[in-house]
PDB file of all heavy atoms in Angstrom:
ATOM      1  N   SER O 768     123.219 -64.382 -48.213  1.00  0.00           N
ATOM      2  CA  SER O 768     122.380 -63.379 -48.858  1.00  0.00           C
ATOM      3  C   SER O 768     123.231 -62.370 -49.610  1.00  0.00           C
ATOM      4  O   SER O 768     122.905 -61.961 -50.711  1.00  0.00           O
ATOM      5  CB  SER O 768     121.502 -62.684 -47.821  1.00  0.00           C
ATOM      6  OG  SER O 768     120.741 -61.662 -48.406  1.00  0.00           O
ATOM      7  N   THR O 769     124.360 -61.978 -48.992  1.00  0.00           N
ATOM      8  CA  THR O 769     125.265 -61.036 -49.645  1.00  0.00           C
ATOM      9  C   THR O 769     125.838 -61.634 -50.917  1.00  0.00           C
ATOM     10  O   THR O 769     125.895 -60.994 -51.964  1.00  0.00           O
ATOM     11  CB  THR O 769     126.398 -60.642 -48.685  1.00  0.00           C
ATOM     12  OG1 THR O 769     125.842 -60.092 -47.505  1.00  0.00           O
ATOM     13  CG2 THR O 769     127.331 -59.628 -49.352  1.00  0.00           C
ATOM     14  N   ASP O 770     126.270 -62.907 -50.840  1.00  0.00           N
ATOM     15  CA  ASP O 770     126.808 -63.579 -52.019  1.00  0.00           C
ATOM     16  C   ASP O 770     125.776 -63.661 -53.120  1.00  0.00           C
ATOM     17  O   ASP O 770     126.090 -63.520 -54.304  1.00  0.00           O
ATOM     18  CB  ASP O 770     127.292 -64.986 -51.651  1.00  0.00           C
ATOM     19  CG  ASP O 770     128.520 -64.934 -50.748  1.00  0.00           C
ATOM     20  OD1 ASP O 770     129.165 -63.859 -50.709  1.00  0.00           O
ATOM     21  OD2 ASP O 770     128.800 -65.946 -50.098  1.00  0.00           O
ATOM     22  N   GLU O 771     124.511 -63.913 -52.727  1.00  0.00           N
ATOM     23  CA  GLU O 771     123.456 -64.033 -53.731  1.00  0.00           C
ATOM     24  C   GLU O 771     123.235 -62.709 -54.459  1.00  0.00           C
ATOM     25  O   GLU O 771     123.092 -62.666 -55.678  1.00  0.00           O
ATOM     26  CB  GLU O 771     122.155 -64.489 -53.058  1.00  0.00           C
ATOM     27  CG  GLU O 771     121.010 -64.688 -54.049  1.00  0.00           C
ATOM     28  CD  GLU O 771     119.752 -65.151 -53.352  1.00  0.00           C
ATOM     29  OE1 GLU O 771     119.815 -65.442 -52.139  1.00  0.00           O
ATOM     30  OE2 GLU O 771     118.711 -65.206 -54.020  1.00  0.00           O
ATOM     31  N   VAL O 772     123.244 -61.612 -53.684  1.00  0.00           N
ATOM     32  CA  VAL O 772     123.072 -60.303 -54.306  1.00  0.00           C
ATOM     33  C   VAL O 772     124.256 -59.978 -55.208  1.00  0.00           C
ATOM     34  O   VAL O 772     124.101 -59.443 -56.309  1.00  0.00           O
ATOM     35  CB  VAL O 772     122.902 -59.217 -53.222  1.00  0.00           C
ATOM     36  CG1 VAL O 772     122.858 -57.835 -53.853  1.00  0.00           C
ATOM     37  CG2 VAL O 772     121.635 -59.471 -52.425  1.00  0.00           C
ATOM     38  N   GLU O 773     125.492 -60.314 -54.725  1.00  0.00           N
ATOM     39  CA  GLU O 773     126.668 -60.081 -55.545  1.00  0.00           C
ATOM     40  C   GLU O 773     126.593 -60.875 -56.840  1.00  0.00           C
ATOM     41  O   GLU O 773     126.986 -60.408 -57.894  1.00  0.00           O
ATOM     42  CB  GLU O 773     127.931 -60.454 -54.758  1.00  0.00           C
ATOM     43  CG  GLU O 773     128.265 -59.520 -53.620  1.00  0.00           C
ATOM     44  CD  GLU O 773     128.712 -58.156 -54.107  1.00  0.00           C
ATOM     45  OE1 GLU O 773     129.001 -58.026 -55.314  1.00  0.00           O
ATOM     46  OE2 GLU O 773     128.747 -57.223 -53.296  1.00  0.00           O
ATOM     47  N   THR O 774     126.089 -62.116 -56.754  1.00  0.00           N
ATOM     48  CA  THR O 774     125.953 -62.956 -57.939  1.00  0.00           C
ATOM     49  C   THR O 774     124.967 -62.348 -58.922  1.00  0.00           C
ATOM     50  O   THR O 774     125.200 -62.318 -60.139  1.00  0.00           O
ATOM     51  CB  THR O 774     125.485 -64.367 -57.550  1.00  0.00           C
ATOM     52  OG1 THR O 774     126.437 -64.927 -56.654  1.00  0.00           O
ATOM     53  CG2 THR O 774     125.356 -65.246 -58.789  1.00  0.00           C
ATOM     54  N   LYS O 775     123.843 -61.840 -58.390  1.00  0.00           N
ATOM     55  CA  LYS O 775     122.856 -61.205 -59.257  1.00  0.00           C
ATOM     56  C   LYS O 775     123.456 -59.977 -59.926  1.00  0.00           C
ATOM     57  O   LYS O 775     123.242 -59.729 -61.104  1.00  0.00           O
ATOM     58  CB  LYS O 775     121.622 -60.832 -58.447  1.00  0.00           C
ATOM     59  CG  LYS O 775     120.781 -62.028 -57.997  1.00  0.00           C
ATOM     60  CD  LYS O 775     119.552 -61.567 -57.231  1.00  0.00           C
ATOM     61  CE  LYS O 775     118.700 -62.763 -56.810  1.00  0.00           C
ATOM     62  NZ  LYS O 775     117.498 -62.335 -56.055  1.00  0.00           N
ATOM     63  N   LYS O 776     124.207 -59.202 -59.131  1.00  0.00           N
ATOM     64  CA  LYS O 776     124.831 -58.013 -59.685  1.00  0.00           C
ATOM     65  C   LYS O 776     125.810 -58.386 -60.788  1.00  0.00           C
ATOM     66  O   LYS O 776     125.844 -57.746 -61.847  1.00  0.00           O
ATOM     67  CB  LYS O 776     125.546 -57.247 -58.575  1.00  0.00           C
ATOM     68  CG  LYS O 776     126.252 -55.987 -59.053  1.00  0.00           C
ATOM     69  CD  LYS O 776     126.924 -55.282 -57.908  1.00  0.00           C
ATOM     70  CE  LYS O 776     127.689 -54.052 -58.404  1.00  0.00           C
ATOM     71  NZ  LYS O 776     128.372 -53.350 -57.320  1.00  0.00           N
ATOM     72  N   SER O 777     126.623 -59.416 -60.566  1.00  0.00           N
ATOM     73  CA  SER O 777     127.583 -59.855 -61.570  1.00  0.00           C
ATOM     74  C   SER O 777     126.869 -60.345 -62.828  1.00  0.00           C
ATOM     75  O   SER O 777     127.327 -60.114 -63.939  1.00  0.00           O
ATOM     76  CB  SER O 777     128.471 -60.961 -61.007  1.00  0.00           C
ATOM     77  OG  SER O 777     129.200 -60.495 -59.889  1.00  0.00           O
ATOM     78  N   PHE O 778     125.732 -61.029 -62.642  1.00  0.00           N
ATOM     79  CA  PHE O 778     124.980 -61.528 -63.788  1.00  0.00           C
ATOM     80  C   PHE O 778     124.500 -60.376 -64.662  1.00  0.00           C
ATOM     81  O   PHE O 778     124.683 -60.384 -65.880  1.00  0.00           O
ATOM     82  CB  PHE O 778     123.784 -62.360 -63.304  1.00  0.00           C
ATOM     83  CG  PHE O 778     122.843 -62.749 -64.413  1.00  0.00           C
ATOM     84  CD1 PHE O 778     123.096 -63.865 -65.187  1.00  0.00           C
ATOM     85  CD2 PHE O 778     121.719 -61.976 -64.696  1.00  0.00           C
ATOM     86  CE1 PHE O 778     122.238 -64.219 -66.227  1.00  0.00           C
ATOM     87  CE2 PHE O 778     120.858 -62.318 -65.723  1.00  0.00           C
ATOM     88  CZ  PHE O 778     121.121 -63.449 -66.488  1.00  0.00           C
ATOM     89  N   TRP O 779     123.877 -59.359 -64.050  1.00  0.00           N
ATOM     90  CA  TRP O 779     123.380 -58.226 -64.827  1.00  0.00           C
ATOM     91  C   TRP O 779     124.518 -57.479 -65.507  1.00  0.00           C
ATOM     92  O   TRP O 779     124.381 -57.030 -66.649  1.00  0.00           O
ATOM     93  CB  TRP O 779     122.593 -57.282 -63.912  1.00  0.00           C
ATOM     94  CG  TRP O 779     121.226 -57.802 -63.599  1.00  0.00           C
ATOM     95  CD1 TRP O 779     120.839 -58.497 -62.493  1.00  0.00           C
ATOM     96  CD2 TRP O 779     120.057 -57.663 -64.412  1.00  0.00           C
ATOM     97  NE1 TRP O 779     119.506 -58.807 -62.567  1.00  0.00           N
ATOM     98  CE2 TRP O 779     118.997 -58.305 -63.740  1.00  0.00           C
ATOM     99  CE3 TRP O 779     119.805 -57.061 -65.633  1.00  0.00           C
ATOM    100  CZ2 TRP O 779     117.715 -58.362 -64.247  1.00  0.00           C
ATOM    101  CZ3 TRP O 779     118.525 -57.106 -66.152  1.00  0.00           C
ATOM    102  CH2 TRP O 779     117.493 -57.750 -65.469  1.00  0.00           C
ATOM    103  N   LYS O 780     125.639 -57.351 -64.813  1.00  0.00           N
ATOM    104  CA  LYS O 780     126.767 -56.637 -65.386  1.00  0.00           C
ATOM    105  C   LYS O 780     127.383 -57.410 -66.547  1.00  0.00           C
ATOM    106  O   LYS O 780     127.670 -56.836 -67.599  1.00  0.00           O
ATOM    107  CB  LYS O 780     127.827 -56.383 -64.312  1.00  0.00           C
ATOM    108  CG  LYS O 780     129.049 -55.621 -64.831  1.00  0.00           C
ATOM    109  CD  LYS O 780     130.055 -55.388 -63.729  1.00  0.00           C
ATOM    110  CE  LYS O 780     131.279 -54.647 -64.260  1.00  0.00           C
ATOM    111  NZ  LYS O 780     132.290 -54.422 -63.203  1.00  0.00           N
ATOM    112  N   GLU O 781     127.581 -58.719 -66.379  1.00  0.00           N
ATOM    113  CA  GLU O 781     128.269 -59.518 -67.387  1.00  0.00           C
ATOM    114  C   GLU O 781     127.396 -59.827 -68.592  1.00  0.00           C
ATOM    115  O   GLU O 781     127.870 -59.825 -69.729  1.00  0.00           O
ATOM    116  CB  GLU O 781     128.761 -60.824 -66.766  1.00  0.00           C
ATOM    117  CG  GLU O 781     129.511 -61.714 -67.761  1.00  0.00           C
ATOM    118  CD  GLU O 781     130.043 -62.977 -67.123  1.00  0.00           C
ATOM    119  OE1 GLU O 781     129.883 -63.128 -65.884  1.00  0.00           O
ATOM    120  OE2 GLU O 781     130.601 -63.812 -67.836  1.00  0.00           O
ATOM    121  N   TYR O 782     126.108 -60.090 -68.365  1.00  0.00           N
ATOM    122  CA  TYR O 782     125.247 -60.562 -69.442  1.00  0.00           C
ATOM    123  C   TYR O 782     124.288 -59.502 -69.990  1.00  0.00           C
ATOM    124  O   TYR O 782     123.681 -59.724 -71.039  1.00  0.00           O
ATOM    125  CB  TYR O 782     124.427 -61.770 -68.972  1.00  0.00           C
ATOM    126  CG  TYR O 782     125.264 -63.000 -68.771  1.00  0.00           C
ATOM    127  CD1 TYR O 782     125.796 -63.310 -67.523  1.00  0.00           C
ATOM    128  CD2 TYR O 782     125.557 -63.853 -69.824  1.00  0.00           C
ATOM    129  CE1 TYR O 782     126.576 -64.428 -67.328  1.00  0.00           C
ATOM    130  CE2 TYR O 782     126.332 -64.973 -69.651  1.00  0.00           C
ATOM    131  CZ  TYR O 782     126.845 -65.269 -68.400  1.00  0.00           C
ATOM    132  OH  TYR O 782     127.626 -66.370 -68.216  1.00  0.00           O
TER     133      TYR O 782
END
Side-chain angles (χ1 to χ4, degrees):
S768 177
T769 303
D770 292 342
E771 182 179 353
V772 174
E773 290 291 347
T774 301
K775 289 182 179 180
K776 179 180 177 181
S777 299
F778 172 84
W779 283 97
K780 181 180 179 181
E781 181 178 357
Y782 290 93

